[in-house]
Amino acid sequence: MQITAHFDSGNIEVHDSSNAQHPLLKMRKDLNSHHFQWFHFKAEGLTPGQRYDFSIINAGESAYHWAWSGYHAVASYDQKTWFRVPSTFTNGTLSFGLDVAQEQIWFAYFEPYSRERHDWLIDQALFKADAELFACGKSIEGRDIQLLRISRTPNAQRKVWIIAQQHPGEHMAEWFMEGLIERLKLRDDAEINALLSKADLYLVPNMNPDGAYRGHLRTNAAGKDLNRAWQSANEAETPEVFFVQQQMRKVGVDLFLDIHGDEEIPHVFTAACEGNPGYTQRIADLEQRFRQRLVANGAEFQTQFGYPRSAPGKANMTLACNAVGEEFDCLSFTIEMPFKDHHDTPNPVTGWDGKRSKQLAKEVLRVTASMVDELR
Ligand code: ZN
């Protein structure tokens, strides 16, 4: 058996391959950082019908090591259809295995969203969804950070911003963006047309292309966590955030959504601005309506489980959601999707996946359309 991870978003090292049916593996740390939790590798030279097991022996040292319980790895024979493989976490080791059906198989922490697919998605937005490339930033390693604008009504009053994958291992975030753009391609979508008659959309499908390409969990190529950089963004270490902040200050923001994945909690949920110094009843009401409408529309979403609420005035202002909400006095959410599953509507075959991330995005657009008149 050969194991390789020298490709887009690949991450694994072979620690011990002496047992050809059960190699011991390790995840690599993010460059210039102590974080790691993302893995993605290919095993080839397999004998169909034979069982193989894989153990990642440093899982217990990873950034969210307590989150492996109840987690199941994803696998694919063709990099298109991904399925969950029963996994266990014991004594600091994550193990999974199966009777393989083909000579090669890929494993990952979550269904990967490739840079190649990202390039296709940008083309889809530009040529099928009337998007324009409003501006383009550069990552530390020179990768493009496209800021797309969808503007179908001159002088539309509202500016809706949606950014994704600040945390590069959270590939569900760009699947979400694909769902958004898929819906924006439709011509006879009354809700979208109503939204775009009053609002321009500003979309950043991938905030952290270096980290994603390198197979990072958490940081950019300088080892910086972008979602802790919104009070200190600079061109040297966090150009990705610096670029988007500059553009926001040119344009304004009336609604901000920052799309993420959560390692631990098996639910879709939001985090909001209740701890901001400038938090008001107006924002609280908007948050509540947005959440209630997502539930009422039947989206895979809930309001019971999530992060502990911040105490008044105690928000971490380095987070995008809080920083943007405070600066622009606007409705602002972090949307979190699970690495595991949404336990309100579990799917043991796929767990949470790209398809469900895309569908959630379409429901979020519906709710956004319903609230466009209420944002100011
Ligand atoms: Zn995140």
Side-chain angles (χ1 to χ4, degrees), residues 176-196:
F176 180 102
M177 298 305 282
E178 184 174 314
L180 284 186
I181 289 165
E182 203 167 85
R183 188 160 181 194
L184 292 166
K185 281 155 52 175
L186 302 174
R187 294 289 134 179
D188 54 352
D189 187 323
E191 288 167 344
I192 294 300
N193 292 340
L195 173 61
L196 292 173

Side-chain angles (χ1 to χ4, degrees), residues 220-258:
N220 70 0
K224 295 298 176 191
D225 180 338
L226 297 184
N227 203 29
R228 297 294 183 273
W230 287 72
Q231 295 297 327
S232 58
N234 63 77
E235 286 179 286
E237 288 188 318
T238 51
E240 301 90 350
V241 173
F242 187 83
F243 161 67
V244 170
Q245 257 181 343
Q246 297 299 108
Q247 297 298 324
M248 284 179 163
R249 287 167 184 160
K250 277 187 207 166
V251 169
V253 184
D254 298 300
L255 167 62
F256 176 59
L257 302 175
D258 183 19

